[in-house]
Each structure stands twice: as structure tokens, then as C-alpha cells.
Amino acid sequence: MSRLLITFGIILIAVGLLWPFIQKLGLGRLPGDLAFGGENFRVYIPITTSILISLALTFILWLINR
């Protein structure tokens, strides 16, 4: 369990450090990502981005388990 948590933490740190580069690729502003709000608030629901990240992680983990 501790190895899993450490691995997850390292992945989160890597994503955090790479986030400026990820935004340049357009992730977070894809068609299907919902963003709406009023004058004093904003709601953002990244549906398409979440699906793409899920597919990529599923593929990577599938490759690792083979």
C-alpha cells in the first residue's frame, strides 16, 4: 500500500510540474468541457479532458501489467 501511495504522489507531482506544458496542448479547453458562471463565480466541469486522461492512464497501466 505504501508503494502505491508513493507512486501516486510522484505522479501528482509530475503532473503539477508539467501542467503549463499540458495546458499548451489544449487539455482543459476541449470541446465537451463545460465552463459557465456568472459575475462572481465560475463552474468548470472537464468531461472530455477527464475521459482522455482516463483512457491514457488505462492504456499505460494495461501496458505495465502485461
Side-chain angles (χ1 to χ4, degrees):
M1 185 67 168
S2 63
R3 290 182 91 189
L4 179 67
L5 289 174
I6 291 171
T7 304
F8 187 65
I10 290 171
I11 290 170
L12 283 177
I13 290 170
V15 169
L17 291 173
L18 294 174
W19 191 252
F21 302 110
I22 292 171
Q23 283 183 333
K24 288 181 182 178
L25 294 175
L27 287 177
R29 295 183 311 254
L30 296 173
D33 291 345
L34 304 175
F36 55 90
E39 194 173 304
N40 296 324
F41 70 94
R42 184 172 185 111
V43 176
Y44 179 69
I45 306 169
I47 296 171
T48 307
T49 301
S50 298
I51 291 170
L52 283 177
I53 291 172
S54 175
L55 288 172
L57 288 175
T58 301
F59 181 70
I60 290 169
L61 291 174
W62 177 77
L63 285 176
I64 289 172
N65 284 332
R66 278 199 85 186

